[in-house]
Amino acid sequence: MMDECFHENDYHVSRRIYSNRVFDQVHERQAQEIQSLRERLGRACGCTDKWAVQKIKGLLPILDWLPKYPVKQWLPGDVVSGVTTGLVCCLQGVAYALLASVAPVYGLYSAFFPILTYFVLGTSRHISVGPFPVTCLMVGSVVLTLAPDEHFLRPVNITGVNETVTDERLMEVDGEAREAQRILVACTMTVLVGLFQVAMGLMQVGFLVRYLSDPLVGGFTTAAAFHVFISQIKTIVSVPIHNHNGFFSFAYTLIDVSRNINQTNIADLIAGLLTIFIVMAVKEINTKFQHKIPVPIPIEVIVTVIASAVSHVMDLNSQYGASIVHSLPRGFAPPQIPNIALIGKILGSSFSTAVVGYAVAVSVAKVYAAKHDYTVDGNQELIAFGVSNIFGGCFSSFVASTALSRTAVQESTGGKSQVAGIISALMVMIVILALGPFLQPLQKSVLAGIVIANLKGMFMQISEVPVLWRQNKIDCLIWIATCLASIVLGLDVGLLAGLVFEMGTVVVRTQFPSCATLGNVPNTDIYKNMKDYKNIDEIPGIKIFKCNSPIYFANIDYFKEKLREEVGFDAVRVFKKRNKALKKIHKLIKKGKLQATENGLVPVASLGVENQAFEKEQVPELDEGASQPDSEVKVQVDWTSELPVSVSVPTVHIHSLVVDFSAVSFLDVVAAKSLKLVVKEFIRIGVSVYIAGCDGEMVRRMEALSFFDEEVTRDILFLSVHDAILFIQLETSTGNDEDPLAEKVKLTF
């Protein structure tokens, strides 16, 4: 009974006890609409004018937002943002081309062409589309694998006084052939990445990227930043090394650098270190005073202009042997068709790059969408980036995504829409058509310094590890495992290894779910874990068991094991032991050592076993004229008392078991069969089983799995644990005079 002294916030509910069957009888269920395949196809393919307009606007979002564009409010901010972002795009494009192992001019193309198609197809108003360090490095890894320097060696031509002699002993790299092959590999991979993204978008599988959790992406991008840093060390110190990819590539690169460290070009080293220091310092100032500075200082542009001027005036290439950009021709390269023969070699790398590029872009897009209160369509983003990569790949571009720093510049300088993006593309086009040659004296170490300075945000993710460890150790392990695997095994294999590890943690957590025995909070209908609270009462004779996980083939055995631990006995063993005891009792009765009466078993002679529970019983004397006993006598064996036979039968201290299914969202065929068998095992030893908390979908699934039959009926289902408990208590007190722990046995004489 509820406590009669109610507090101000107490409430009282009076209703009948509901099993699922009673509830369905009282409250009429809604009819489930079952459509045929033809009806579903007809509805899916049905076309109205309104539906057609929505679909067209969905595929071409520009038709939706551009007519509504508030020119007066947004255009000034978009112009300022576009100009600023365009300058950053130029510099980052040229710098990130080094990561992709192609000529710097292709970085400019990659900062231009993808923006044009994303302007039409994209749904994010703020991201800046273009090269991203991680995807550039993944492209560069494939490029160096398929087009290494060793494939382009040729004999050196030595020019004499009267003739030119070819010396077969001296070899040099054919730079033109190498660059042509490398950009062909990069463009082919970019087109294939785009095809993967478009296919995923059309199949509406953008949700698959959700499997790339934040810890996994954090660990992967940190490892990628490490690889980017290692790859740029050789450019900073300007020493000759071999190209390394795959397992432990970072270690081989560091070994090569250390072996040739005595060949370091001091001019390149000083320029690179100064660039890193200046860019990072000014970026810190931009961050610290972002509310006071109307426009962030474009430090990359300033450093690049100054470095180009210094290199040109001092002629660093000729005087000090500095490595410079050299060729940055005006104009666009003609379109080229991807090399289909390469597709088989780059299939796996292209798919992983497609997933990473999209995952990073859509994550950034959703952050700014939430900040500015609009939505981003994940599947449309797949199509937008896919088409952008296909289009860009045909015009000598490499994979496009978004760079976090560049997007931050576009948003912080007042960008309101992709009009800022198209203006930034115009700035890049101006550089391509007119200003490119002015960057030719620029040292490559300056570009490498810009790349390294922009890695700070990725490296700062390491500071999240201690916080993640305190919040969730499993997620922290995912972060660490993905990071280490990506560093040691390479980005492609490392991402796959991290994903497998992440899926493994999910399987382990569901394979070994938390299970608990519940107790009742006095005077309430609340049931909580007995181990978590002190003043929780376990209801006598009733065990309440809860599993906090879907039940399926991988964890059903663990479920049964935990159930046995919580109830304190094995129902199968109890049944076997009772059968064994009954057989011995039957033999003793046949031998005349036990007498079966309506009052139980009475010893006729000493059994050689002290059994005080039966010693005081007297065998009723039969009159001579009394009729003989029936051939079948019902005997009740009290399994809680000491038995007259030497069989150790486990004690069953409960008469009812309630299984809380409120946290069980899924049940498969194997689990349903095993669970049904468990219910029958308890029933045959006199323990009633009830299942509480099943929702309608779970009940329908159980029916579809043939869970119910004549013995296991739908009557065992209850809306809540409290309904089941009240029903059991009602049945125990009023409806059942027989001890549920007693066994009725028919003995034949």
Side-chain angles (χ1 to χ4, degrees):
M1 292 182 64
M2 298 291 292
D3 193 347
E4 295 181 358
C5 298
F6 290 101
H7 297 287
E8 181 181 355
N9 295 327
D10 289 348
Y11 68 94
H12 177 72
V13 177
S14 178
R15 64 170 176 83
R16 65 186 301 176
I17 299 172
Y18 280 128
S19 66
N20 281 49
R21 182 185 295 276
V22 172
F23 188 84
D24 290 345
Q25 291 173 352
V26 175
H27 302 277
E28 184 178 357
R29 296 175 64 95
Q30 288 188 358
Q32 297 292 322
E33 184 180 359
I34 301 176
Q35 294 181 335
S36 65
L37 179 61
R38 178 179 296 181
E39 291 173 338
R40 285 184 297 206
L41 288 175
R43 175 172 294 185
C45 300
C47 181
T48 62
D49 293 342
K50 185 177 180 180
W51 179 88
V53 170
Q54 288 178 343
K55 285 297 180 183
I56 292 173
K57 287 184 176 180
L59 291 174
L60 300 172
I62 190 174
L63 298 178
D64 184 38
W65 65 265
L66 190 58
K68 307 174 185 176
Y69 183 78
V71 177
K72 293 183 179 180
Q73 290 84 4
W74 286 10
L75 186 58
D78 280 341
V79 171
V80 174
S81 174
V83 172
T84 308
T85 308
L87 295 174
V88 176
C89 281
C90 294
L91 273 302
Q92 289 191 351
V94 173
Y96 293 159
L98 299 179
L99 297 176
S101 301
V102 295
V105 69
Y106 299 113
L108 291 176
Y109 299 158
S110 302
F112 173 74
F113 286 107
I115 297 176
L116 303 180
T117 48
Y118 189 85
F119 177 73
V120 176
L121 300 172
T123 60
S124 173
R125 299 203 308 252
H126 292 90
I127 66 171
S128 175
V129 179
F132 177 56
V134 176
T135 54
C136 291
L137 189 65
M138 297 175 79
V139 172
S141 175
V142 174
V143 167
L144 292 178
T145 300
L146 298 182
D149 291 343
E150 291 78 8
H151 290 183
F152 304 96
L153 296 177
R154 65 182 181 184
V156 176
N157 293 327
I158 302 176
T159 303
V161 177
N162 298 319
E163 60 179 352
T164 300
V165 180
T166 300
D167 190 346
E168 299 289 344
R169 293 172 298 176
L170 299 177
M171 307 294 288
E172 66 177 359
V173 176
D174 186 349
E176 292 184 4
R178 180 188 63 182
E179 291 303 325
Q181 182 61 23
R182 285 185 174 181
I183 191 58
L184 182 61
V185 173
C187 291
T188 302
M189 181 176 177
T190 301
V191 171
L192 188 55
V193 166
L195 290 174
F196 275 125
Q197 290 175 333
V198 169
M200 289 191 290
L202 293 176
M203 292 188 294
Q204 304 285 297
V205 294
F207 68 89
L208 292 177
V209 180
R210 297 173 187 170
Y211 288 101
L212 301 180
S213 64
D214 288 346
L216 185 142
V217 173
F220 176 77
T221 52
T222 304
F226 177 80
H227 279 290
V228 171
F229 177 77
I230 295 297
S231 70
Q232 295 308 293
I233 288 179
K234 63 179 181 181
T235 307
I236 294 288
V237 298
S238 190
V239 297
I241 66 169
H242 294 92
N243 296 319
H244 301 287
N245 293 295
F247 298 173
F248 296 100
S249 59
F250 75 96
Y252 296 129
T253 300
L254 290 176
I255 291 172
D256 281 357
V257 170
S258 62
R259 285 175 178 172
N260 300 319
I261 196 69
N262 58 334
Q263 302 180 40
T264 299
N265 186 291
I266 301 301
D268 283 337
L269 178 61
I270 293 174
L273 294 178
L274 280 176
T275 301
I276 295 172
F277 175 77
I278 294 172
V279 172
M280 292 185 68
V282 175
K283 281 183 174 290
E284 282 296 317
I285 294 174
N286 285 339
T287 303
K288 189 173 183 179
F289 299 100
Q290 58 182 342
H291 299 296
K292 298 180 180 180
I293 303 176
V295 177
I297 302 172
I299 186 59
E300 291 100 333
V301 178
I302 296 173
V303 167
T304 302
V305 171
I306 295 174
S308 297
V310 171
S311 177
H312 176 71
V313 171
M314 299 183 65
D315 195 10
L316 296 178
N317 177 242
S318 301
Q319 297 295 326
Y320 299 97
S323 177
I324 63 174
V325 171
H326 279 298
S327 176
L328 206 64
R330 290 188 178 98
F332 294 98
Q336 60 178 337
I337 301 174
N339 188 348
I340 300 177
L342 295 173
I343 291 179
K345 301 176 182 178
I346 61 177
L347 205 61
S349 299
S350 298
F351 180 76
S352 59
T353 305
V355 172
V356 171
Y358 168 71
V360 172
V362 80
S363 298
V364 176
K366 287 183 176 180
V367 168
Y368 286 99
K371 181 177 179 181
H372 295 276
D373 194 24
Y374 65 93
T375 58
V376 172
D377 185 344
N379 290 309
Q380 180 61 26
E381 287 294 292
L382 270 173
I383 295 175
F385 277 102
V387 173
S388 297
N389 282 317
I390 294 172
F391 178 68
C394 293
F395 286 90
S396 303
S397 301
F398 46 83
V399 176
S401 179
T402 184
L404 282 69
S405 59
R406 195 168 61 243
T407 299
V409 169
Q410 180 165 317
E411 190 265 347
S412 62
T413 52
K416 302 294 184 182
S417 70
Q418 280 302 323
V419 171
I422 207 70
I423 293 175
S424 70
L426 293 176
M427 295 297 298
V428 177
M429 185 177 68
I430 292 172
V431 174
I432 294 173
L433 296 177
L435 303 179
F438 292 99
L439 297 176
Q440 289 180 356
L442 182 63
Q443 291 172 267
K444 289 185 177 180
S445 63
V446 173
L447 295 176
I450 292 174
V451 171
I452 292 175
N454 280 286
L455 296 177
K456 179 188 173 185
M458 295 190 201
F459 279 124
M460 289 303 293
Q461 294 178 118
I462 297 176
S463 63
E464 299 174 3
V465 175
V467 178
L468 199 58
W469 178 262
R470 292 192 294 269
Q471 292 175 342
N472 191 309
K473 292 180 173 56
I474 298 295
D475 286 342
C476 185
L477 291 177
I478 292 173
W479 195 104
I480 295 172
T482 304
C483 185
L484 293 178
S486 299
I487 289 175
V488 174
L489 305 179
L491 295 180
D492 292 346
V493 180
L495 178 63
L496 178 61
L499 188 59
V500 170
F501 183 82
E502 181 186 50
M503 293 294 102
T505 62
V506 174
V507 172
V508 169
R509 279 184 275 189
T510 58
Q511 188 173 357
F512 303 100
S514 62
C515 300
T517 296
L518 304 185
N520 178 245
V521 178
N523 300 322
T524 71
D525 61 350
I526 300 173
Y527 295 83
K528 290 292 185 179
N529 189 345
M530 297 281 294
K531 296 179 180 178
D532 292 340
Y533 298 92
K534 294 181 179 179
N535 299 321
I536 300 293
D537 297 333
E538 185 171 13
I539 302 172
I542 304 174
K543 182 70 70 173
I544 308 171
F545 180 77
K546 182 176 183 179
C547 176
N548 296 304
S549 166
I551 304 176
Y552 63 110
F553 66 93
N555 66 3
I556 184 61
D557 289 334
Y558 182 80
F559 173 87
K560 293 191 293 185
E561 178 184 342
K562 296 300 292 184
L563 179 60
R564 284 194 296 268
E565 291 179 5
E566 296 296 337
V567 299
F569 59 86
D570 183 350
V572 175
R573 183 169 179 268
V574 170
F575 182 74
K576 291 180 178 180
K577 288 290 187 179
R578 287 185 178 183
N579 273 342
K580 183 177 180 181
L582 290 173
K583 289 179 181 178
K584 288 192 174 184
I585 291 173
H586 193 184
K587 289 180 181 179
L588 291 175
I589 292 175
K590 281 188 174 182
K591 293 179 180 179
K593 296 183 178 181
L594 280 178
Q595 177 68 47
T597 69
E598 294 294 336
N599 297 324
L601 300 173
V602 181
V604 176
S606 175
L607 301 179
V609 178
E610 185 179 355
N611 189 347
Q612 297 181 3
F614 290 92
E615 283 181 357
K616 297 181 180 180
E617 298 281 351
Q618 298 296 326
V619 181
E621 296 182 0
L622 298 176
D623 297 334
E624 292 183 0
S627 60
Q628 295 297 322
D630 295 335
S631 59
E632 291 186 357
V633 179
K634 288 184 178 181
V635 179
Q636 283 191 331
V637 179
D638 187 356
W639 298 108
T640 59
S641 301
E642 189 174 353
L643 300 177
V645 291
S646 57
V647 177
S648 176
V649 179
T651 303
V652 178
H653 54 276
I654 62 173
H655 55 73
S656 299
L657 170 66
V658 178
V659 183
D660 186 357
F661 260 38
S662 59
V664 178
S665 59
F666 175 74
L667 197 69
D668 70 352
V669 176
V670 176
K673 289 181 179 179
S674 298
L675 187 62
K676 183 177 180 179
L677 185 60
V678 168
V679 173
K680 290 184 176 181
E681 289 170 355
F682 277 98
I683 290 175
R684 68 184 181 181
I685 63 171
V687 177
S688 301
V689 180
Y690 304 92
I691 299 177
C694 294
D695 60 10
E697 180 62 30
M698 177 60 70
V699 175
R700 286 190 291 272
R701 183 177 293 274
M702 294 169 76
E703 290 174 342
L705 294 171
S706 302
F707 183 81
F708 303 108
D709 56 20
E710 295 180 356
E711 188 174 1
V712 181
T713 66
R714 291 184 78 252
D715 292 332
I716 69 172
L717 301 180
F718 284 83
L719 288 189
S720 67
V721 172
H722 196 59
D723 285 295
I725 297 300
L726 293 178
F727 175 81
I728 294 169
Q729 292 176 337
L730 186 64
E731 287 288 296
T732 304
S733 61
T734 61
N736 190 4
D737 293 334
E738 299 177 353
D739 186 354
L741 299 178
E743 184 78 20
K744 290 187 176 181
V745 185
K746 289 187 177 181
L747 301 175
T748 305
F749 295 92

